[in-house]
């Protein structure tokens, strides 16, 4: 059971209230995990700045990384949120399950990205040489590599926050990967 409450708007700082208002307007609600960042005066703004920073990866490519990383880190909150976001970005249910498993048979370039994200997360940043060679062989650049590593770190922060706080998941809950055939 969670020992952390999900702060409500009236419980957070003025700066965080403004961010809550922006999130409410943009997506219709303040996700519980984002609200949890607001226990800190600065963490929510810092995290959103990192998460929304410019990158060489498209929104769809970012979701591939987010799904692979969240699966390795076993974060039900982020798996649930990024399953919903992945669908909004055009991935089918079966493609989402593949990406969570760290692969993408439906797109060779995305497969190299998902495999790298999975490998980096499993090996705490020490990518296997063959995975890295395949990444570059599929047309990815050094800029893409750096941006992928930053994104792995970004997603790992949220994975760790949820694994520690266990705030309620406020997205349709993702099925365990082992419950489906991938």
């Amino acid at each position: 059971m969670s020992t952390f409450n999900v702060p409500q708007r009236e419980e957070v700082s003025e700066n965080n209230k403004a961010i809550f208002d922006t999130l409410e307007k943009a997506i219709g609600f303040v996700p519980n995990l984002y609200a949890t960042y607001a226990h800190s005066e600065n963490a929510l703004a810092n995290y959103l700045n990192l998460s929304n920073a410019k990158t060489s990866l498209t929104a769809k490519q970012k979701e591939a990384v987010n799904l692979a990383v969240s699966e390795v880190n076993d974060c039900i909150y982020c798996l649930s949120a990024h399953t919903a976001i992945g669908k909004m970005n055009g991935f089918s249910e079966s493609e989402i399950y593949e990406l969570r498993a760290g692969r993408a048979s439906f797109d060779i370039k995305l497969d190299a990205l998902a495999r790298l994200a999975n490998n980096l997360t499993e090996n705490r940043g020490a990518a296997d040489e063959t995975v890295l060679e395949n990444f570059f062989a599929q047309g990815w650049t050094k800029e893409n590599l750096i941006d992928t590593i930053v994104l792995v770190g970004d997603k790992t922060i949220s994975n760790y926050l949820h694994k520690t706080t266990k705030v309620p998941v406020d997205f349709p809950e993702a099925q365990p990967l082992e419950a489906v055939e991938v």
Side-chain angles (χ1 to χ4, degrees):
M1 195 62 169
S2 175
T3 57
F4 279 79
N5 67 306
V6 176
Q8 301 302 304
R9 186 182 185 281
E10 61 275 4
E11 301 173 282
V12 302
S13 70
E14 290 304 314
N15 288 339
N16 283 328
K17 283 179 184 171
I19 296 170
F20 276 31
D21 293 345
T22 300
L23 288 167
E24 185 79 38
K25 286 178 193 163
I27 59 177
F29 73 110
V30 178
N32 286 343
L33 196 60
Y34 283 176
T36 303
Y37 278 100
H39 279 292
S40 164
E41 172 65 26
N42 300 302
L44 179 58
N46 290 343
Y47 181 74
L48 290 173
N49 285 334
L50 173 63
S51 189
N52 295 319
K54 289 182 181 180
T55 179
S56 62
L57 303 176
T58 67
K60 201 166 185 173
Q61 292 163 348
K62 286 175 64 173
E63 287 315 307
V65 172
N66 290 335
L67 287 161
V69 171
S70 296
E71 183 65 38
V72 172
N73 287 331
D74 192 29
C75 179
I76 189 59
Y77 189 98
C78 294
L79 285 170
S80 300
H82 291 288
T83 293
I85 297 166
K87 288 177 183 175
M88 290 171 26
N89 277 286
F91 287 121
S92 70
E93 190 91 13
S94 63
E95 290 170 340
I96 288 169
Y97 287 126
E98 271 196 65
L99 292 166
R100 286 175 54 187
R103 60 183 189 275
S105 65
F106 55 92
D107 181 319
I108 195 165
K109 189 169 182 178
L110 208 53
D111 184 69
L113 177 65
R115 288 180 187 276
L116 177 67
N118 177 281
N119 186 256
L120 283 166
T121 308
E122 284 181 344
N123 296 323
R124 302 189 193 284
D128 290 343
E129 194 60 37
T130 56
V131 172
L132 200 51
E133 286 172 7
N134 181 55
F135 179 78
F136 290 127
Q138 297 312 316
W140 295 102
T141 66
K142 290 178 183 174
E143 178 184 20
N144 299 141
L145 173 65
I146 302 305
D147 287 345
T148 300
I149 293 169
V150 169
L151 184 54
V152 168
D154 162 348
K155 192 47 43 200
T156 299
I157 292 167
S158 282
N159 294 165
Y160 286 10
L161 183 64
H162 185 260
K163 296 284 287 190
T164 299
T165 64
K166 298 177 180 64
V167 296
V169 176
D170 49 356
F171 290 89
E173 199 161 313
Q175 293 279 331
L177 194 56
E178 55 274 356
V180 296
E181 231 177 274
V182 181

